[in-house]
């Protein structure tokens, strides 16, 4: 056989290699594994050097001549009062933190490893307090600034803090009831609740900086608790998650590259700092890249793109339903008059992914999946339609290697537990394309190396650990989420366990139903859940709706169009049988997640709905949604109707 000329063979080999790389994701896997391996070595080096306290990362940035005079923190003009400082360099921020540290030491004798609870809104003082507490070797507890009454009291008390610092702008949280609840107990313990007055900052700035000696930060390992961040409380009272020092260090060392941050980046986020996405994956990532963090005071659909544009941000952060809210705003000159290169966040729903990217001309979406207390996370850098709507994209090498550390296992919604084989009693991996619970491996002899659980709540901590999964004695972390992976390695979020329900012996994904409803022109927003019905097994689909202006289910055409639309988009068993028209707005968490518990508990009993109107499909073949009232409820509860 004649030899193939090099001029032909070389390009052919390169082309074949490029094809294989694209098909099997070899390059992305090699890069990702290299970064993860490097990060693990860096964590071990921090332990060896006794520098696991993440305060040192900011100190290094503030003292490095290349970054000391770079802007660290910027406030949008709309967020600053006239005459207020709107920008701090790394060096200026470091000096400010040390002055706050001196104040905490002198006024409150803050000690190493004690918890100091913070209840602050997004303002510079949040960051000054946070890093000052770290500099003293203590542990900040981030209280959700939206909480009031019992939830607020609960979070403060379970923190074990003796000192609670409260932003003066939310002083109303400290009611007489709260003061009494935080007062002395039978054991004599009381929590000192201090409202940080408006003029406190000016007084603190007159103090000399106090850089606590290294001895106060000694002996800390990257698996030890660095701060407390609370769960959202969508299914009950919040739990205090122990966040290890490895998490902020991942923000410094691991996440900047995946968010495509450089020293010149300007990162805008109005997300609440009490949440790990903003504090660890935005602020810490900015410090790791030595770039600029632009602090929005809170999310506002009207101001989001305006502030992005005016601050010359090239990165922005989203959470939850934010992107949908932005799309619902009128067209604005700011929609495309900006420098945005990357939007980073989690919870971008597939049905708004392309519309969000197109309207605001954002080249790259970096979507991540994870939880504050979880030992792992996934992400995808999406620039094309191939990864649209995904939360991860793993190549062939990554999929092979990750089989020992991550898995999607079949889930039994009837028992509300991972399915186990009757013969082996072990869990079973879900098939390609099949939804199941996403779990990650833990060393059964050293659980705390990857998972630290919840402070003072052993039952909640252990409930997240699944044992004897594939072999006797193994241990895996339960995410509580149903995910699926396709044949190309793309990972998709299906639903939260507890949200998915069974109807007609089939599993119904609330996320899938919400996506289908949201593509109808009448629907502004949908919150889907299952409801128990008298004389019926399982739970029937119900969707709380907000309709766009000019649309009404009293209009026969709209009611029929919506029924026809969901039947075309969804399998028969997933079509929502009930639609609840909500007055006002949906109840959401501080991180813009819809709450379902109250809606689900109210079911379809009219007297429990506070005046909301209900519609239903009374028969399988009904052409349109019809009004549902006391008469219909009587027939349903009396057993006269079978759905």
């Amino acid at each position: 056989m004649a030899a193939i000329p090099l001029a032909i063979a070389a390009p052919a080999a390169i082309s074949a290699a490029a094809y294989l790389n694209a098909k099997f994701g070899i390059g992305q896997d090699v890069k990702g594994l290299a970064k993860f391996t490097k990060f693990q070595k860096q964590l071990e080096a921090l332990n060896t050097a006794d520098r696991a306290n993440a305060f040192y990362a900011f100190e290094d940035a503030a003292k490095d001549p290349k970054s000391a005079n770079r802007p660290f923190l910027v406030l949008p003009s709309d967020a600053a009062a006239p005459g207020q400082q709107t920008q701090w360099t790394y060096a200026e921020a470091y000096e400010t933190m040390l002055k706050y540290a001196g104040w905490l030491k002198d006024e409150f004798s803050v000690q190493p490893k004690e918890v100091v609870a913070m209840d602050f809104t997004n303002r510079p003082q949040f960051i000054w307090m946070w890093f000052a507490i770290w500099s003293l070797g203590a542990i900040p507890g981030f209280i959700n600034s939206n909480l009031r009454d019992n939830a607020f009291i609960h979070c403060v008390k379970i923190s074990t803090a003796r000192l609670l610092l409260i932003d003066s702008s939310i002083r109303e949280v400290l009611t007489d009831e709260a003061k009494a609840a935080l007062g002395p107990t039978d054991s004599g313990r009381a929590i000192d609740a201090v409202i940080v007055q408006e003029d406190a900052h000016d007084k603190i700035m007159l103090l000399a900086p106090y850089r606590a000696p290294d001895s106060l930060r000694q002996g800390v390992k990257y698996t030890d608790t660095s701060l407390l961040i609370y769960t959202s409380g969508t299914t009950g009272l919040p739990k205090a998650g122990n966040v290890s020092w490895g998490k902020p260090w991942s923000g410094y060392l691991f996440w900047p590259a995946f968010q495509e941050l450089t020293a010149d980046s300007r990162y805008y986020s109005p997300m609440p700092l009490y949440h790990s996405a903003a504090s660890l994956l935005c602020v810490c990532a900015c410090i790791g890249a030595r770039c600029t963090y632009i602090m929005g005071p809170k999310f506002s659909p009207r101001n989001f793109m305006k502030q992005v544009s005016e601050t010359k941000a090239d990165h922005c952060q989203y959470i939850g339903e934010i992107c949908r809210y932005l799309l619902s705003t009128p067209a604005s000159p700011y929609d495309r008059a900006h420098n945005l290169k990357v939007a980073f966040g989690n919870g971008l729903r597939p049905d708004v992914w392309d519309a969000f990217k197109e309207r605001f001309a954002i080249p790259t979406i970096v979507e991540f999946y994870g939880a504050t207390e979880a030992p792992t996370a996934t992400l995808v850098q999406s620039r094309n339609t191939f990864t649209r709507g995904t939360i991860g994209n793993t190549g062939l090498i990554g999929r092979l290697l990750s089989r020992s550390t991550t898995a999607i296992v079949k889930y039994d919604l009837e028992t509300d537990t991972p399915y186990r084989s009757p013969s082996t009693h072990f869990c079973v991996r879900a098939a390609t394309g099949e939804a199941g619970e996403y779990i990650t491996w833990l060393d059964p002899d050293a659980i705390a190396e990857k998972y630290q659980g919840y402070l003072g709540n052993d039952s909640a901590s252990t409930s997240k650990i699944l044992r004897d999964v594939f072999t006797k004695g193994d241990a895996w972390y339960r995410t509580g989420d149903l995910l699926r992976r396709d044949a190309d390695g793309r990972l998709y979020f299906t639903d939260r366990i507890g949200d998915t329900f069974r109807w007609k012996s089939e599993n119904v994904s609330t996320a899938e139903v919400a996506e289908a409803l949201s593509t109808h022109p009448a629907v502004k927003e949908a919150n889907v859940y299952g409801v128990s019905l008298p004389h019926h097994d399982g739970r029937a689909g119900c969707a709380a709706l907000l309709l766009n202006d000019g649309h009404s289910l009293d209009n026969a055409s709209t009611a029929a169009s919506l029924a026809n639309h969901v039947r075309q988009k969804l399998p028969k068993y997933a079509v929502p049988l009930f639609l609840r028209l909500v007055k006002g707005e949906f109840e959401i968490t501080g991180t813009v997640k819809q709450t379902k518990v109250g809606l689900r508990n109210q079911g379809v009993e009219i007297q429990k709905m506070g005046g909301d109107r209900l519609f239903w499909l009374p028969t399988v073949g009904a052409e349109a949604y019809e009004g549902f009232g006391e008469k219909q409820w009587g027939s349903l509860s009396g057993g006269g109707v079978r759905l």
Side-chain angles (χ1 to χ4, degrees), residues 14 21 38 134 181 191 193 203 219 275 328 456 502 540 587 609:
I14 293 172
N21 181 49
K38 179 181 178 181
W134 269 357
I191 297 171
K203 295 177 181 177
H275 191 266
S328 70
R502 280 182 74 78
E587 180 182 348
M609 293 190 175

Side-chain angles (χ1 to χ4, degrees), residues 41-100:
K41 291 181 178 178
Q42 289 172 318
L43 287 180
E44 295 298 338
L46 289 167
N47 276 357
T48 302
D50 205 1
R51 287 173 63 88
N53 186 311
F55 162 76
Y56 289 114
F58 196 94
E59 183 173 65
D60 290 345
K63 290 188 172 183
D64 185 343
K66 294 180 180 179
S67 52
N69 294 316
R70 282 184 173 275
F72 160 60
L73 174 62
V74 169
L75 299 181
S77 57
D78 289 358
Q84 178 178 319
Q85 185 174 354
T86 60
Q87 181 168 302
W88 290 260
T89 66
Y90 276 85
E92 290 170 337
Y94 176 68
E95 182 175 331
T96 302
M97 293 170 191
L98 296 187
K99 291 183 177 184
Y100 272 72

Side-chain angles (χ1 to χ4, degrees), residues 116-363:
V116 178
M118 293 173 47
D119 194 357
F120 274 73
T121 60
N122 275 22
R123 58 194 309 177
Q125 286 78 8
F126 189 116
I127 295 181
W128 312 149
M129 290 288 189
W130 164 15
F131 280 86
I133 293 168
W134 269 357
S135 79
L136 297 172
I139 300 169
F142 293 169
I143 306 295
N144 180 335
S145 57
N146 296 295
L147 298 181
R148 299 293 185 271
D149 303 323
N150 289 339
F152 162 72
I153 294 167
H154 166 79
C155 288
V156 176
K157 295 185 79 169
I158 66 172
S159 74
T160 72
R162 66 173 176 87
L163 173 63
L164 165 66
L165 302 170
I166 301 173
D167 186 336
S168 62
S169 69
I170 53 171
R171 64 176 69 237
E172 70 276 5
V173 302
L174 202 59
T175 61
D176 290 339
E177 291 78 6
K179 290 177 183 177
L182 300 179
T185 63
D186 293 340
S187 61
R189 179 178 174 271
I191 297 171
D192 188 8
V194 177
I195 296 174
V196 182
Q197 303 294 345
E198 291 291 342
D199 61 351
H201 175 74
D202 295 335
K203 295 177 181 177
I204 292 171
M205 292 307 293
L206 298 176
L207 302 175
Y210 172 72
R211 199 274 189 186
D214 290 345
S215 59
L216 296 185
R217 295 178 292 276
Q218 284 179 346
V220 170
K221 304 299 183 184
Y222 71 80
T223 54
D224 293 339
T225 299
S226 69
L227 52 84
L228 302 179
I229 291 181
Y230 291 78
T231 60
S232 60
T234 54
T235 57
L237 289 171
K239 299 182 288 290
N242 289 309
V243 179
S244 72
W245 287 106
K247 294 292 179 71
W249 279 109
S250 75
Y252 296 141
L253 301 173
F254 190 72
W255 285 91
F258 288 107
Q259 297 190 59
E260 303 179 11
L261 292 171
T262 69
D264 295 322
S265 297
R266 295 174 63 84
Y267 197 160
Y268 171 79
S269 175
M271 302 300 104
L273 285 168
Y274 60 73
H275 191 266
S276 59
S279 53
L280 303 184
L281 303 185
C282 181
V283 175
C284 288
C286 285
I287 295 169
R290 310 287 175 89
C291 68
T292 303
Y293 163 55
I294 303 166
M295 179 194 288
K298 62 180 179 179
F299 171 66
S300 162
R302 181 176 61 87
N303 286 332
F304 188 97
M305 293 307 300
K306 177 176 183 289
Q307 292 184 343
V308 163
S309 177
E310 291 179 346
T311 59
K312 296 181 171 55
D314 52 19
H315 285 63
C316 72
Q317 187 176 43
Y318 62 85
I319 295 178
E321 290 288 288
I322 277 175
C323 300
R324 181 183 300 282
Y325 295 146
L326 290 175
L327 287 172
S328 70
T329 62
S332 158
Y334 299 109
D335 287 359
R336 288 172 171 258
H338 56 70
N339 299 328
L340 279 183
K341 300 175 184 176
V342 176
F344 169 81
N346 71 317
L348 178 53
R349 288 189 7 189
D351 55 310
V352 301
W353 188 294
D354 282 346
F356 173 67
K357 190 175 180 183
E358 171 62 26
R359 172 170 167 178
F360 300 110
I362 302 173

Side-chain angles (χ1 to χ4, degrees), residues 365-389:
I365 301 292
V366 180
E367 171 82 2
F368 84 93
Y369 161 81
T372 300
E373 67 276 23
T376 190
T378 69
L379 63 89
V380 64
Q381 295 167 301
S382 179
R383 299 178 180 85
N384 52 46
T385 57
F386 179 74
T387 49
R388 174 184 58 204

Side-chain angles (χ1 to χ4, degrees), residues 606 616 627-638 641:
I606 300 299
W616 72 328
F628 181 93
E630 292 291 353
K631 178 181 177 182
Q632 289 78 11
W633 169 249
S635 298
L636 186 64
S637 59
V641 175

